[in-house]
Amino acid sequence: MATVRTSIHGYWSSRFAFVLAASGSAIGLGNIWKFPYMAGENGGGAFVLLYLVCVALFGVPVMMAEILLGRRGRSSPMNTMRVLAAEEKCSSSWNLLGLMGVLAGFLILSYYSVIAGWALDYVVEIGSGSFVNVTRDEAGEVFTNLISSPRRLLFWHTLFMVLTMVVVARGVSKGLEIAVRLLMPALLFLVLVMIAYAMVKGDFYAGLKFLFTPDFSKLSPGVVLKAMGQAFFSLSLGMGAIMMYGSYLPRDASIATTSFQVAIVDTVVAVLAGLAIFPIVFANGLEAGQGPGLIFNTLPLAFGQMMGGVFFGAIFFVLLVFAAWTSAISLIEPAVAWLIEKFSISRLWSSLICGGIAWVIGLGTVFSFNNWKRIELFNDTFLAGKSFFDLLEYTTSNIMLPLGGVLICIFAAWFMREPSRRDELQIVNEGAYHVWRFLARYITPLGVILIFLHAIGILEKLHIT
Ligand code: TRP
């Protein structure tokens, strides 16, 4: 049952190139910016533990399923789902899954670009010495000034979107490899430098305790949902990004090994980022639960005091921008590839159109931090007090990605016929295959659905918990 489908967009040069690209997609703002602030907001250790469980139980099986479908379909997620549904004699509505992914990609990229813009601004801010020996409050002021200025945010958002589109327009594999092979290890190195600094100057013990002693009284159904959402977000799962990258994967590469490698690298980077940040938070009496500004209010304090901090600080944010860049391109690639397939337009046009759409949606996030802090429209609902950015962030990570991930798992583990699945996964280890199939068939779908029901309070009403 070997498939003869080919990708019109090209292939990775090797399995290693795919691991690099997938890691480049996975490692990004999600690890360095979002993971610490989510852990900080949701009580530390208990959140971290749940996050790790979600990566193992949901993340790895979904990643395998995504690569499996992508490689078999060899096109953008929408077309992949259409082709595979036909091949497996399933309803053609499965391509709605691809559509939801494309939508999620636009929504996530729209705010991702604004936050990456903060990092761009900080390259200049730190590089020009603004943080040398600043106090906590002065550093906070620099951040407040940035987010209160729509013009500055807009400038950086635009620049980042243009950068992203330049790479996408040239085809994702060009340039990506160098970025990931050289710059990601450099980022990791700087995170390690920060950890060393945190050990000496920060309150390292308090940081460790916060991240690794679970306080289960801090848990609530909402926290479980957020830990799950963060696992999907950080691993780039649930919207077809990894499916798209999987469609460029040579046939002889092992899907299981690859998935494990990506999941492990991604998780290590997130945990290390936490270790670098929380000791500084506690040593300076900062608020762990302050939200999205966390790293921007924390790291500059450290860079402001350390020797060579102007240099290291600027480099750190440059590398963070690179990490965000290699993630951003994977958010939009499914949409870009689909437009090319559907309308036979050039990659350049497709990139311009997609980038333009994401840029416009991003304006909502630009104004979320200043002119439109709260959306008045929802004042009387449970959404009261949430900004446009909060809403986007919440619905994409906590609803759209897990839902997409579950549907991907269900298709791969239930609807696809056994021979197709086996053919594509090229099982060498029967036991491992059965573990994957069991997780993908039962644990991931049921787990995610229970967490959903729990979060909206249905289980409590039925007195199940
Ligand atoms: N995983 C990336 C990060 O951690 C963000 C990202 C890239 C993403 N592609 C994705 C998230 C697809 C969800 C789906 O920063």
Side-chain angles (χ1 to χ4, degrees), residues 404-456:
V406 163
L407 292 173
I408 288 167
C409 260
I410 292 182
F411 187 85
W414 287 102
F415 284 81
M416 209 172 197
R417 281 162 304 166
E418 186 70 14
S420 319
R421 211 163 29 225
R422 282 181 172 271
D423 170 48
E424 202 59 52
L425 281 176
Q426 292 163 2
I427 323 293
V428 269
N429 180 335
E430 269 305 308
Y433 171 69
H434 284 282
V435 172
W436 170 75
R437 205 182 57 181
F438 179 74
L439 288 172
R441 276 201 166 165
Y442 304 101
I443 303 297
T444 307
L446 287 176
V448 170
I449 288 163
L450 280 178
I451 294 174
F452 275 156
L453 295 178
H454 200 37
I456 48 180

Short mmCIF file of all heavy atoms in Angstrom, two decimals, residues 404-456:
data_model
loop_
_atom_site.label_atom_id
_atom_site.label_comp_id
_atom_site.label_asym_id
_atom_site.label_seq_id
_atom_site.Cartn_x
_atom_site.Cartn_y
_atom_site.Cartn_z
N GLY A 404 -8.60 20.62 17.49
CA GLY A 404 -7.96 20.18 16.25
C GLY A 404 -7.12 18.94 16.49
O GLY A 404 -7.18 17.97 15.73
N GLY A 405 -6.38 18.94 17.59
CA GLY A 405 -5.50 17.81 17.90
C GLY A 405 -6.29 16.52 18.09
O GLY A 405 -5.90 15.46 17.60
N VAL A 406 -7.41 16.64 18.78
CA VAL A 406 -8.23 15.45 19.03
C VAL A 406 -8.79 14.91 17.71
O VAL A 406 -8.77 13.70 17.46
CB VAL A 406 -9.39 15.79 19.99
CG1 VAL A 406 -10.46 14.73 19.93
CG2 VAL A 406 -8.85 15.92 21.39
N LEU A 407 -9.26 15.81 16.86
CA LEU A 407 -9.82 15.35 15.60
C LEU A 407 -8.75 14.67 14.74
O LEU A 407 -9.00 13.66 14.08
CB LEU A 407 -10.48 16.51 14.85
CG LEU A 407 -11.75 17.03 15.56
CD1 LEU A 407 -12.27 18.29 14.88
CD2 LEU A 407 -12.84 15.95 15.56
N ILE A 408 -7.54 15.23 14.78
CA ILE A 408 -6.44 14.64 14.03
C ILE A 408 -6.17 13.22 14.54
O ILE A 408 -6.02 12.26 13.77
CB ILE A 408 -5.17 15.51 14.16
CG1 ILE A 408 -5.35 16.79 13.34
CG2 ILE A 408 -3.92 14.75 13.70
CD1 ILE A 408 -4.33 17.87 13.63
N CYS A 409 -6.15 13.10 15.87
CA CYS A 409 -5.93 11.77 16.48
C CYS A 409 -7.04 10.81 16.09
O CYS A 409 -6.79 9.65 15.77
CB CYS A 409 -6.00 11.90 18.00
SG CYS A 409 -4.41 11.96 18.74
N ILE A 410 -8.27 11.30 16.16
CA ILE A 410 -9.40 10.42 15.86
C ILE A 410 -9.32 9.94 14.41
O ILE A 410 -9.54 8.77 14.11
CB ILE A 410 -10.74 11.14 16.14
CG1 ILE A 410 -10.86 11.35 17.65
CG2 ILE A 410 -11.93 10.35 15.60
CD1 ILE A 410 -12.14 12.00 18.10
N PHE A 411 -8.98 10.86 13.53
CA PHE A 411 -8.88 10.43 12.13
C PHE A 411 -7.78 9.39 11.96
O PHE A 411 -7.99 8.33 11.37
CB PHE A 411 -8.62 11.63 11.21
CG PHE A 411 -8.68 11.24 9.75
CD1 PHE A 411 -9.88 11.20 9.08
CD2 PHE A 411 -7.52 10.85 9.07
CE1 PHE A 411 -9.95 10.78 7.75
CE2 PHE A 411 -7.58 10.45 7.74
CZ PHE A 411 -8.80 10.41 7.08
N ALA A 412 -6.61 9.70 12.54
CA ALA A 412 -5.47 8.79 12.33
C ALA A 412 -5.68 7.45 13.00
O ALA A 412 -5.30 6.41 12.46
CB ALA A 412 -4.18 9.45 12.84
N ALA A 413 -6.28 7.44 14.19
CA ALA A 413 -6.33 6.20 14.94
C ALA A 413 -7.64 5.42 14.77
O ALA A 413 -7.69 4.22 15.08
CB ALA A 413 -6.08 6.49 16.42
N TRP A 414 -8.69 6.09 14.31
CA TRP A 414 -9.97 5.39 14.12
C TRP A 414 -10.36 5.25 12.66
O TRP A 414 -10.75 4.20 12.19
CB TRP A 414 -11.10 6.11 14.84
CG TRP A 414 -11.10 5.99 16.34
CD1 TRP A 414 -10.68 6.94 17.22
CD2 TRP A 414 -11.54 4.87 17.12
NE1 TRP A 414 -10.83 6.48 18.51
CE2 TRP A 414 -11.35 5.21 18.48
CE3 TRP A 414 -12.07 3.61 16.82
CZ2 TRP A 414 -11.68 4.36 19.53
CZ3 TRP A 414 -12.40 2.77 17.87
CH2 TRP A 414 -12.20 3.14 19.21
N PHE A 415 -10.30 6.36 11.92
CA PHE A 415 -10.86 6.36 10.58
C PHE A 415 -9.91 5.80 9.53
O PHE A 415 -10.33 5.25 8.53
CB PHE A 415 -11.33 7.76 10.19
CG PHE A 415 -12.61 8.13 10.87
CD1 PHE A 415 -12.63 8.60 12.17
CD2 PHE A 415 -13.83 7.98 10.20
CE1 PHE A 415 -13.81 8.92 12.81
CE2 PHE A 415 -15.02 8.30 10.82
CZ PHE A 415 -15.01 8.76 12.13
N MET A 416 -8.63 6.00 9.77
CA MET A 416 -7.67 5.50 8.80
C MET A 416 -7.62 3.98 8.93
O MET A 416 -7.70 3.46 10.04
CB MET A 416 -6.31 6.07 9.15
CG MET A 416 -5.43 6.25 8.00
SD MET A 416 -3.98 7.14 8.57
CE MET A 416 -3.37 7.66 7.01
N ARG A 417 -7.49 3.29 7.81
CA ARG A 417 -7.46 1.84 7.94
C ARG A 417 -6.11 1.38 8.47
O ARG A 417 -5.08 2.01 8.21
CB ARG A 417 -7.77 1.18 6.59
CG ARG A 417 -9.27 1.17 6.28
CD ARG A 417 -9.49 0.93 4.82
NE ARG A 417 -8.77 1.96 4.05
CZ ARG A 417 -8.55 1.88 2.75
NH1 ARG A 417 -8.95 0.84 2.07
NH2 ARG A 417 -7.90 2.84 2.12
N GLU A 418 -6.15 0.28 9.16
CA GLU A 418 -4.94 -0.25 9.80
C GLU A 418 -3.75 -0.36 8.82
O GLU A 418 -2.64 0.08 9.15
CB GLU A 418 -5.28 -1.60 10.43
CG GLU A 418 -4.19 -2.23 11.27
CD GLU A 418 -3.90 -1.50 12.59
OE1 GLU A 418 -4.72 -0.65 13.01
OE2 GLU A 418 -2.85 -1.78 13.18
N PRO A 419 -3.95 -0.91 7.63
CA PRO A 419 -2.79 -1.04 6.72
C PRO A 419 -2.19 0.31 6.33
O PRO A 419 -0.96 0.45 6.27
CB PRO A 419 -3.37 -1.72 5.48
CG PRO A 419 -4.67 -2.30 5.91
CD PRO A 419 -5.16 -1.51 7.06
N SER A 420 -3.04 1.33 6.14
CA SER A 420 -2.50 2.64 5.75
C SER A 420 -1.65 3.19 6.88
O SER A 420 -0.55 3.72 6.68
CB SER A 420 -3.62 3.65 5.51
OG SER A 420 -4.70 3.10 4.83
N ARG A 421 -2.19 3.06 8.10
CA ARG A 421 -1.50 3.56 9.26
C ARG A 421 -0.13 2.89 9.43
O ARG A 421 0.88 3.52 9.63
CB ARG A 421 -2.38 3.22 10.46
CG ARG A 421 -2.30 4.16 11.56
CD ARG A 421 -3.45 4.06 12.53
NE ARG A 421 -4.09 2.78 12.68
CZ ARG A 421 -5.40 2.63 12.72
NH1 ARG A 421 -6.20 3.65 12.57
NH2 ARG A 421 -5.92 1.44 12.89
N ARG A 422 -0.18 1.57 9.31
CA ARG A 422 1.07 0.81 9.50
C ARG A 422 2.07 1.13 8.41
O ARG A 422 3.26 1.26 8.65
CB ARG A 422 0.76 -0.69 9.46
CG ARG A 422 0.18 -1.17 10.73
CD ARG A 422 -0.09 -2.66 10.66
NE ARG A 422 -0.47 -3.14 11.96
CZ ARG A 422 0.38 -3.56 12.89
NH1 ARG A 422 1.66 -3.63 12.63
NH2 ARG A 422 -0.04 -3.92 14.07
N ASP A 423 1.56 1.24 7.21
CA ASP A 423 2.44 1.53 6.09
C ASP A 423 3.18 2.85 6.32
O ASP A 423 4.37 2.97 6.10
CB ASP A 423 1.59 1.61 4.81
CG ASP A 423 2.38 2.14 3.65
OD1 ASP A 423 3.50 1.62 3.44
OD2 ASP A 423 1.91 3.06 2.95
N GLU A 424 2.43 3.83 6.79
CA GLU A 424 3.03 5.15 6.93
C GLU A 424 3.94 5.24 8.16
O GLU A 424 4.98 5.89 8.14
CB GLU A 424 1.92 6.20 7.01
CG GLU A 424 2.35 7.61 6.64
CD GLU A 424 2.90 7.70 5.23
OE1 GLU A 424 2.22 7.25 4.28
OE2 GLU A 424 4.02 8.22 5.06
N LEU A 425 3.56 4.58 9.23
CA LEU A 425 4.38 4.66 10.45
C LEU A 425 5.61 3.75 10.38
O LEU A 425 6.55 3.93 11.13
CB LEU A 425 3.55 4.30 11.68
CG LEU A 425 2.62 5.37 12.23
CD1 LEU A 425 1.81 4.83 13.38
CD2 LEU A 425 3.40 6.59 12.71
N GLN A 426 5.56 2.77 9.50
CA GLN A 426 6.66 1.81 9.36
C GLN A 426 7.12 1.28 10.71
O GLN A 426 8.22 1.58 11.19
CB GLN A 426 7.82 2.43 8.60
CG GLN A 426 7.44 2.68 7.18
CD GLN A 426 8.38 3.63 6.49
OE1 GLN A 426 9.35 4.10 7.06
NE2 GLN A 426 8.08 3.94 5.26
N ILE A 427 6.23 0.51 11.29
CA ILE A 427 6.45 0.03 12.64
C ILE A 427 7.67 -0.88 12.72
O ILE A 427 7.78 -1.83 11.96
CB ILE A 427 5.26 -0.86 13.08
CG1 ILE A 427 3.95 -0.32 12.55
CG2 ILE A 427 5.28 -1.10 14.58
CD1 ILE A 427 3.55 0.94 13.11
N VAL A 428 8.54 -0.56 13.66
CA VAL A 428 9.60 -1.53 13.93
C VAL A 428 9.35 -2.21 15.26
O VAL A 428 9.80 -3.29 15.53
CB VAL A 428 11.01 -0.89 13.95
CG1 VAL A 428 11.63 -0.93 12.57
CG2 VAL A 428 10.95 0.53 14.47
N ASN A 429 8.58 -1.51 16.11
CA ASN A 429 8.35 -2.04 17.44
C ASN A 429 6.84 -2.16 17.67
O ASN A 429 6.15 -1.16 17.86
CB ASN A 429 9.01 -1.08 18.44
CG ASN A 429 8.85 -1.53 19.86
OD1 ASN A 429 7.90 -2.26 20.19
ND2 ASN A 429 9.74 -1.09 20.72
N GLU A 430 6.34 -3.40 17.62
CA GLU A 430 4.89 -3.63 17.75
C GLU A 430 4.34 -3.03 19.04
O GLU A 430 3.28 -2.41 19.06
CB GLU A 430 4.60 -5.13 17.78
CG GLU A 430 4.33 -5.76 16.43
CD GLU A 430 3.20 -5.10 15.65
OE1 GLU A 430 2.10 -4.94 16.22
OE2 GLU A 430 3.43 -4.74 14.48
N GLY A 431 5.07 -3.25 20.13
CA GLY A 431 4.60 -2.78 21.44
C GLY A 431 4.40 -1.28 21.43
O GLY A 431 3.35 -0.76 21.83
N ALA A 432 5.41 -0.59 20.92
CA ALA A 432 5.33 0.87 20.90
C ALA A 432 4.16 1.33 20.03
O ALA A 432 3.44 2.27 20.36
CB ALA A 432 6.64 1.45 20.37
N TYR A 433 3.94 0.62 18.93
CA TYR A 433 2.83 0.98 18.05
C TYR A 433 1.50 0.87 18.80
O TYR A 433 0.64 1.75 18.71
CB TYR A 433 2.82 0.09 16.81
CG TYR A 433 1.56 0.26 15.97
CD1 TYR A 433 1.36 1.46 15.27
CD2 TYR A 433 0.60 -0.73 15.89
CE1 TYR A 433 0.22 1.65 14.51
CE2 TYR A 433 -0.55 -0.55 15.13
CZ TYR A 433 -0.74 0.63 14.45
OH TYR A 433 -1.87 0.83 13.71
N HIS A 434 1.36 -0.21 19.56
CA HIS A 434 0.10 -0.39 20.28
C HIS A 434 -0.08 0.66 21.36
O HIS A 434 -1.20 1.11 21.59
CB HIS A 434 0.00 -1.81 20.85
CG HIS A 434 -0.34 -2.79 19.76
ND1 HIS A 434 -1.62 -2.92 19.28
CD2 HIS A 434 0.43 -3.62 19.01
CE1 HIS A 434 -1.63 -3.81 18.30
NE2 HIS A 434 -0.38 -4.25 18.11
N VAL A 435 1.01 1.06 21.99
CA VAL A 435 0.90 2.13 22.99
C VAL A 435 0.41 3.41 22.30
O VAL A 435 -0.53 4.07 22.75
CB VAL A 435 2.26 2.40 23.68
CG1 VAL A 435 2.17 3.65 24.55
CG2 VAL A 435 2.69 1.19 24.49
N TRP A 436 1.03 3.71 21.16
CA TRP A 436 0.61 4.93 20.45
C TRP A 436 -0.88 4.84 20.07
O TRP A 436 -1.65 5.77 20.29
CB TRP A 436 1.44 5.16 19.17
CG TRP A 436 0.83 6.26 18.34
CD1 TRP A 436 0.89 7.61 18.61
CD2 TRP A 436 0.00 6.12 17.19
NE1 TRP A 436 0.16 8.31 17.69
CE2 TRP A 436 -0.40 7.43 16.80
CE3 TRP A 436 -0.44 5.03 16.43
CZ2 TRP A 436 -1.22 7.67 15.69
CZ3 TRP A 436 -1.26 5.26 15.34
CH2 TRP A 436 -1.65 6.57 14.96
N ARG A 437 -1.26 3.69 19.50
CA ARG A 437 -2.64 3.59 19.03
C ARG A 437 -3.63 3.70 20.19
O ARG A 437 -4.68 4.32 20.06
CB ARG A 437 -2.84 2.28 18.26
CG ARG A 437 -3.98 2.41 17.26
CD ARG A 437 -4.23 1.13 16.53
NE ARG A 437 -4.51 0.04 17.46
CZ ARG A 437 -4.75 -1.21 17.08
NH1 ARG A 437 -4.71 -1.53 15.81
NH2 ARG A 437 -5.02 -2.13 17.97
N PHE A 438 -3.26 3.11 21.30
CA PHE A 438 -4.14 3.19 22.47
C PHE A 438 -4.27 4.64 22.95
O PHE A 438 -5.38 5.14 23.20
CB PHE A 438 -3.58 2.31 23.59
CG PHE A 438 -4.41 2.35 24.84
CD1 PHE A 438 -5.63 1.67 24.88
CD2 PHE A 438 -4.00 3.05 25.96
CE1 PHE A 438 -6.42 1.71 26.03
CE2 PHE A 438 -4.78 3.09 27.10
CZ PHE A 438 -5.99 2.41 27.14
N LEU A 439 -3.13 5.32 23.03
CA LEU A 439 -3.17 6.72 23.47
C LEU A 439 -4.00 7.56 22.49
O LEU A 439 -4.86 8.33 22.89
CB LEU A 439 -1.75 7.30 23.56
CG LEU A 439 -0.89 6.79 24.72
CD1 LEU A 439 0.55 7.29 24.57
CD2 LEU A 439 -1.46 7.24 26.06
N ALA A 440 -3.72 7.36 21.20
CA ALA A 440 -4.39 8.19 20.20
C ALA A 440 -5.87 7.85 20.09
O ALA A 440 -6.71 8.71 19.80
CB ALA A 440 -3.70 8.03 18.85
N ARG A 441 -6.21 6.59 20.31
CA ARG A 441 -7.62 6.21 20.20
C ARG A 441 -8.44 6.63 21.41
O ARG A 441 -9.56 7.12 21.26
CB ARG A 441 -7.73 4.68 20.11
CG ARG A 441 -7.54 4.20 18.74
CD ARG A 441 -8.15 2.83 18.59
NE ARG A 441 -8.23 2.56 17.18
CZ ARG A 441 -8.45 1.36 16.67
NH1 ARG A 441 -8.59 0.32 17.48
NH2 ARG A 441 -8.54 1.20 15.39
N TYR A 442 -7.89 6.36 22.58
CA TYR A 442 -8.69 6.55 23.79
C TYR A 442 -8.24 7.72 24.66
O TYR A 442 -9.03 8.59 25.00
CB TYR A 442 -8.70 5.27 24.63
CG TYR A 442 -9.18 4.08 23.84
CD1 TYR A 442 -8.29 3.16 23.31
CD2 TYR A 442 -10.55 3.90 23.60
CE1 TYR A 442 -8.73 2.08 22.56
CE2 TYR A 442 -11.00 2.83 22.85
CZ TYR A 442 -10.09 1.91 22.33
OH TYR A 442 -10.53 0.86 21.59
N ILE A 443 -6.96 7.68 25.04
CA ILE A 443 -6.52 8.60 26.09
C ILE A 443 -6.59 10.07 25.64
O ILE A 443 -7.17 10.91 26.34
CB ILE A 443 -5.08 8.26 26.55
CG1 ILE A 443 -5.03 6.81 27.03
CG2 ILE A 443 -4.62 9.20 27.64
CD1 ILE A 443 -5.91 6.52 28.23
N THR A 444 -6.04 10.35 24.46
CA THR A 444 -6.04 11.75 24.04
C THR A 444 -7.47 12.27 23.85
O THR A 444 -7.84 13.28 24.46
CB THR A 444 -5.20 11.94 22.76
OG1 THR A 444 -3.91 11.39 23.01
CG2 THR A 444 -5.07 13.38 22.38
N PRO A 445 -8.31 11.60 23.05
CA PRO A 445 -9.66 12.15 22.88
C PRO A 445 -10.44 12.26 24.19
O PRO A 445 -10.99 13.31 24.50
CB PRO A 445 -10.34 11.16 21.94
CG PRO A 445 -9.24 10.44 21.26
CD PRO A 445 -8.08 10.42 22.21
N LEU A 446 -10.42 11.19 24.97
CA LEU A 446 -11.20 11.23 26.21
C LEU A 446 -10.63 12.26 27.18
O LEU A 446 -11.37 13.01 27.80
CB LEU A 446 -11.21 9.86 26.89
CG LEU A 446 -12.09 8.83 26.18
CD1 LEU A 446 -11.97 7.47 26.88
CD2 LEU A 446 -13.54 9.30 26.18
N GLY A 447 -9.31 12.28 27.27
CA GLY A 447 -8.67 13.22 28.20
C GLY A 447 -9.04 14.65 27.84
O GLY A 447 -9.48 15.43 28.68
N VAL A 448 -8.88 14.99 26.57
CA VAL A 448 -9.14 16.37 26.17
C VAL A 448 -10.62 16.70 26.38
O VAL A 448 -10.97 17.77 26.90
CB VAL A 448 -8.73 16.58 24.69
CG1 VAL A 448 -9.21 17.93 24.18
CG2 VAL A 448 -7.22 16.46 24.54
N ILE A 449 -11.50 15.79 26.04
CA ILE A 449 -12.92 16.08 26.18
C ILE A 449 -13.32 16.23 27.66
O ILE A 449 -14.05 17.14 28.04
CB ILE A 449 -13.77 15.01 25.46
CG1 ILE A 449 -13.60 15.24 23.95
CG2 ILE A 449 -15.24 15.10 25.84
CD1 ILE A 449 -13.99 14.09 23.09
N LEU A 450 -12.76 15.35 28.50
CA LEU A 450 -13.04 15.49 29.93
C LEU A 450 -12.56 16.84 30.46
O LEU A 450 -13.25 17.49 31.24
CB LEU A 450 -12.35 14.37 30.73
CG LEU A 450 -13.07 13.03 30.73
CD1 LEU A 450 -12.25 12.00 31.50
CD2 LEU A 450 -14.46 13.18 31.35
N ILE A 451 -11.38 17.24 30.01
CA ILE A 451 -10.86 18.53 30.48
C ILE A 451 -11.76 19.68 30.01
O ILE A 451 -12.05 20.61 30.77
CB ILE A 451 -9.40 18.72 30.04
CG1 ILE A 451 -8.52 17.67 30.76
CG2 ILE A 451 -8.90 20.12 30.35
CD1 ILE A 451 -7.07 17.65 30.32
N PHE A 452 -12.23 19.58 28.78
CA PHE A 452 -13.18 20.60 28.28
C PHE A 452 -14.43 20.65 29.17
O PHE A 452 -14.86 21.70 29.62
CB PHE A 452 -13.67 20.24 26.87
CG PHE A 452 -12.76 20.72 25.76
CD1 PHE A 452 -12.78 20.09 24.53
CD2 PHE A 452 -11.91 21.79 25.93
CE1 PHE A 452 -11.95 20.51 23.49
CE2 PHE A 452 -11.09 22.23 24.91
CZ PHE A 452 -11.11 21.58 23.68
N LEU A 453 -15.03 19.48 29.38
CA LEU A 453 -16.29 19.43 30.13
C LEU A 453 -16.08 19.94 31.55
O LEU A 453 -16.91 20.65 32.10
CB LEU A 453 -16.83 18.00 30.16
CG LEU A 453 -17.26 17.44 28.81
CD1 LEU A 453 -17.74 16.01 28.95
CD2 LEU A 453 -18.33 18.31 28.17
N HIS A 454 -14.97 19.55 32.11
CA HIS A 454 -14.61 19.96 33.45
C HIS A 454 -14.52 21.48 33.51
O HIS A 454 -15.07 22.12 34.40
CB HIS A 454 -13.24 19.34 33.73
CG HIS A 454 -12.89 19.24 35.17
ND1 HIS A 454 -13.80 18.94 36.14
CD2 HIS A 454 -11.69 19.39 35.80
CE1 HIS A 454 -13.18 18.91 37.31
NE2 HIS A 454 -11.90 19.18 37.12
N ALA A 455 -13.85 22.05 32.51
CA ALA A 455 -13.62 23.50 32.52
C ALA A 455 -14.93 24.27 32.36
O ALA A 455 -15.10 25.33 32.95
CB ALA A 455 -12.64 23.89 31.43
N ILE A 456 -15.85 23.74 31.57
CA ILE A 456 -17.10 24.51 31.47
C ILE A 456 -18.08 24.12 32.56
O ILE A 456 -19.21 24.58 32.60
CB ILE A 456 -17.76 24.42 30.06
CG1 ILE A 456 -17.83 22.98 29.57
CG2 ILE A 456 -17.04 25.27 29.06
CD1 ILE A 456 -18.48 22.84 28.21
#
